[in-house]
Amino acid sequence: NAGVTQTPKFQVLKTGQSMTLQCAQDMNHEYMSWYRQDPGMGLRLIHYSVGAGITDQGEVPNGYNVSRSTTEDFPLRLLSAAPSQTSVYFCASSSYGTSGGSDTQYFGPGTRLTVL
Amino acid sequence: LAKTTQPISMDSYEGQEVNITCSHNNIATNDYITWYQQFPSQGPRFIIQGYKTKVTNEVASLFIPADRKSSTLSLPRVSLSDTAVYYCLVGPVLGGFKTIFGAGTRLFVKA
């Protein structure tokens, strides 16, 4: 299993440009999430999905769109990039805990985005 | 969702046992406690999860008192490679993926 994969690893955008960050998982997980992490900070939830065709907003959704057409893929779209969106973006997937516990999340390697 | 409080940073030496305590006073009955580890330039990685009493795996132990208002992650005999940020999360059985990551505890292990 590749786990959670993200592309690209690095990206530089100019203010106003749009782009899509790709995320895919091969573990057949129901839940997928996007987080951003600013320097020295914890992770903040942008959007999440509980299954194909179902998405919802997290803590910091403004400026981002998501869709979930398949179980495997969960792309994050930046509509009009702004310098405030310079950050590291992590995608994660999870499934109902097999032992009955809370969801255990598996994270991708991240995408470092710089907006000039 | 329950909020957690943990120390901003801790220092230790190789070979020592490290205990990181997390406070979660408003934990709900159906909440579990989960700890993640994050190395620089990597995504967080699951370490351990528990509901009450003590949980142990090959990496760490998790101690949870009866009132569940706090928990302690114990790392036995740390090495330089344990230098990382450790996050304590509290979340329900369903929807736990929506739990909040705080700033975490930065652990520095010295030789």
Side-chain angles (χ1 to χ4, degrees), chain A residues 25-65:
Chain A
Q25 54 96 4
D26 61 0
M27 296 172 282
N28 202 31
H29 285 168
E30 303 95 334
Y31 311 136
M32 296 188 74
S33 311
W34 274 103
Y35 294 85
R36 61 175 288 174
Q37 185 173 35
D38 299 325
M41 306 288 286
L43 282 77
R44 291 186 291 171
L45 182 63
I46 304 172
H47 284 287
Y48 63 93
S49 169
V50 300
I54 307 170
T55 64
D56 205 347
Q57 297 180 351
E59 185 185 357
V60 288
N62 292 341
Y64 308 95
N65 271 358

Side-chain angles (χ1 to χ4, degrees), chain A:
Chain A
N1 282 354
V4 179
T5 58
Q6 293 184 236
T7 56
K9 285 186 169 37
F10 302 92
Q11 183 69 51
V12 179
L13 293 177
K14 294 181 179 179
T15 297
Q17 288 184 316
S18 62
M19 79 159 295
T20 299
L21 307 184
Q22 301 293 342
C23 174
Q25 54 96 4
D26 61 0
M27 296 172 282
N28 202 31
H29 285 168
E30 303 95 334
Y31 311 136
M32 296 188 74
S33 311
W34 274 103
Y35 294 85
R36 61 175 288 174
Q37 185 173 35
D38 299 325
M41 306 288 286
L43 282 77
R44 291 186 291 171
L45 182 63
I46 304 172
H47 284 287
Y48 63 93
S49 169
V50 300
I54 307 170
T55 64
D56 205 347
Q57 297 180 351
E59 185 185 357
V60 288
N62 292 341
Y64 308 95
N65 271 358
V66 292
S67 61
R68 182 105 179 265
S69 56
T70 67
T71 300
E72 295 79 19
D73 300 301
F74 191 43
L76 177 72
R77 279 182 289 277
L78 278 70
L79 308 173
S80 177
S84 60
Q85 293 179 304
T86 294
S87 189
V88 180
Y89 291 84
F90 291 103
C91 178
S93 74
S94 60
S95 184
Y96 182 80
T98 55
S99 62
S102 185
D103 311 321
T104 299
Q105 296 200 74
Y106 296 83
F107 285 83
T111 294
R112 291 186 175 275
L113 176 68
T114 301
V115 182
L116 303 176

